[in-house]
Amino acid sequence: MLIRRPADIPPSEITPRALFDTRRDFLRRTGLGLAAGAALWHGLPRRADAADTLGALAASPFSTAEPQTEWDAATSYINFYEFGTSKDAPLRNAHRMQVRPWTVRVEGLVNKPREFDIDDLLRLAPLEERIYRLRCVEAWSMVIPWAGYPLAALLRAVEPQGSAKYVEFVTHYDPAIMTTRPVLDWPYTEGLRLDEALHPLTLLTFGMYGERLPNQNGAPVRVVIPWKYGFKSAKSIVTIRLTEQQPATAWNKSAPQEYGFYSNVNPEVSHPRWSQATERRIGELRRRPTLPFNGYAEQVAQLYTGMDLKKHY
Ligand SMILES: Nc1nc2c(c(=O)[nH]1)N[C@H]1C(S)=C(S)[C@@H](COP(=O)(O)O)O[C@H]1N2
Ligand SMILES: [Mo]
């Protein structure tokens, strides 16, 4: 197993390979049965067992042909602050989260509010595989094959009312298994304008690399919005609420001068503490220029016609 180690990642932020190997040895030695070991296995950066695959996935024309990030990096170098703020903490801690049974409430300004069991939600529309490039607000990016369907399919099923202008995502928060430090205002929340949420690139996501999401990547359901910085892509969602007013978001509340509501990838707008003009693709050594809208300008730029994106960052 190869852990990529680009020069810009401090070694302290990478789970040492020895730690993975020790855990695997532990599991092997103790001969944990599948059921007993499932929670543990979910937290490990290894390919899942057959029961965790998602079956046939339609290939999506929205996919990039760029080389994919290694599974090991995509499932271990992670931000999921409820499980700790270091990049390897979610991998160590997220196995504590029970992702079944799980329900997602869709509520607010809709004609048909409904609580979905996660397995019904998974079957609401055909799953497709989309290989998206994603960019974190920090200077790194990855290319990940996600599995899901457009969030629009779910939103249409609940019939948004005319007054609905925004979509708020509320994520799971359980102080018994997550941090109680007030790093952010828990639960982590995010939001999109309704037209962004209905855009076909916005993916309601259940899997990656053909398998169910590992816990640290936002199991059992998250969103992926590839033209925005990573923090917009809320993980482990429990409520989706349609609203008239722009919802507060966790990062905007904690540092409004650093994180705006839109957070479209924009090489011309620097984060107050660093430039966002270039990025390092995990697995590559040389930095590359960051593209407007993360390379998805052709599909999404028209959503922002007439807006000053330096002001509305
Ligand atoms: N609930 C929750 N969702 C979250 C976060 C978080 O801390 N909590 N971090 C965000 C950030 S900053 C990033 S970069 C992505 C990282 O996850 P991924 O590598 O699986 O896309 O998740 C986003 N979603
Ligand atoms: Mo991020």
Side-chain angles (χ1 to χ4, degrees), residues 117-190:
D117 175 77
I118 187 65
D119 292 306
D120 296 334
L121 192 63
L122 188 103
R123 285 185 219 101
L124 188 78
L127 294 185
E128 46 181 293
E129 179 169 82
R130 294 189 176 185
I131 306 169
Y132 277 167
R133 67 185 90 80
L134 277 205
R135 193 183 182 290
C136 190
V137 73
E138 299 154 79
W140 47 279
S141 62
M142 298 192 187
V143 174
I144 299 181
W146 299 105
Y149 56 76
L151 177 63
L154 170 60
L155 295 177
R156 295 220 168 85
V158 297
E159 297 180 7
Q161 295 173 355
S163 54
K165 299 281 185 296
Y166 294 91
V167 180
E168 179 180 18
F169 304 97
V170 183
T171 70
H172 182 57
Y173 179 63
D174 179 355
I177 57 157
M178 292 167 163
T179 188
T180 52
R181 286 169 50 216
V183 182
L184 292 169
D185 198 359
W186 313 118
Y188 189 103
T189 63
E190 256 306 338

